[in-house]
C-alpha cells in the first residue's frame, strides 16, 4: 500500500473486477519509464484532460458524456450517462493509499493524469454516478486509480 514505485492491482484484489473495470494504478506506474501505454500512446496530461472537459461543455457537463450509458456497471439508473463520445467510462472506484477499501464499486470513476501536482501528489479526474460532473483534483501518488491512454500527437 505504501509503494513509491510503479504498482497496480484489481479492485478489492478480485481479478474479475480487473477484467471488467480495468486495473488500478498508482501514479508512480503512470510516470514509470517502462510506459503503461503502448508505443505511440501516452497517459494524458492535466492540460489534455482539461481540453477534453472544455470540449465536452466544461466540468459540469463532461462527466455525463464520458460515462457508459445504462446501469449495467454504474450504480442506480445512471440517468446522466450518455457516452456521447464513446469513452465508456466505467466506475472502477479506487484503492486508497493505505490499501484499505472503504468505498464501493459502481459509484465513481477516477483517472490519473501524467501531471504532478507536487512531489507527493498527482492530478486526477473524478466522474461520480450521481450527476454530470468531471471534477479535477489532486491526491497522493500512492492511491490506485484507473488510467486511459491517448494517441500521441502526429
Amino acid at each position: 500500500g505504501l509503494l513509491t514505485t510503479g504498482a497496480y492491482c484489481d479492485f478489492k484484489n478480485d481479478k474479475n473486477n480487473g477484467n471488467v473495470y480495468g486495473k488500478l494504478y498508482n501514479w508512480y506506474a503512470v510516470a514509470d519509464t517502462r510506459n503503461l501505454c503502448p508505443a505511440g500512446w501516452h497517459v494524458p496530461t492535466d492540460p489534455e484532460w482539461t481540453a477534453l472537459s472544455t470540449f465536452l461543455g466544461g466540468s459540469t457537463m463532461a462527466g455525463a458524456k464520458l460515462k457508459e450509458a445504462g446501469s449495467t456497471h454504474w450504480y442506480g439508473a445512471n440517468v446522466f450517462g450518455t457516452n456521447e463520445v464513446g469513452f465508456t467510462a466505467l466506475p472502477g472506484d479506487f484503492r486508497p493509499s493505505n490499501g484499505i477499501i472503504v468505498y464501493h464499486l459502481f459509484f465513481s470513476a477516477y483517472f490519473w493524469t501524467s501531471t504532478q501536482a507536487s512531489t507527493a501528489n498527482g492530478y486526477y479526474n473524478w466522474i461520480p454516478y450521481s450527476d454530470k460532473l468531471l471534477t479535477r483534483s489532486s491526491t497522493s501518488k500512492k492511491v490506485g486509480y484507473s488510467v486511459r491512454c491517448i494517441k500521441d500527437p502526429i
Side-chain angles (χ1 to χ4, degrees), residues 51-63:
L52 176 63
S53 178
T54 301
F55 177 77
L56 296 177
S59 62
T60 60
M61 313 244 336

Side-chain angles (χ1 to χ4, degrees), residues 102-123:
V102 292
Y103 293 92
H104 305 284
L105 203 53
F106 320 124
F107 280 23
S108 296
Y110 299 87
F111 295 96
W112 277 123
T113 77
S114 61
T115 305
Q116 281 195 110
S118 68
T119 306
N121 296 325
Y123 286 108

Side-chain angles (χ1 to χ4, degrees), residues 39-112:
W41 295 70
H42 66 279
V43 176
T45 63
D46 182 50
E48 286 171 326
W49 268 99
T50 300
L52 176 63
S53 178
T54 301
F55 177 77
L56 296 177
S59 62
T60 60
M61 313 244 336
K65 297 175 182 179
L66 295 171
K67 278 194 270 193
E68 177 188 59
S71 56
T72 302
H73 297 105
W74 283 89
Y75 176 75
N78 185 26
V79 294
F80 299 113
T82 64
N83 202 29
E84 282 176 45
V85 293
F87 189 89
T88 318
L90 296 177
D93 208 66
F94 72 99
R95 181 184 176 95
S97 58
N98 64 8
I100 299 167
I101 307 298
V102 292
Y103 293 92
H104 305 284
L105 203 53
F106 320 124
F107 280 23
S108 296
Y110 299 87
F111 295 96
W112 277 123

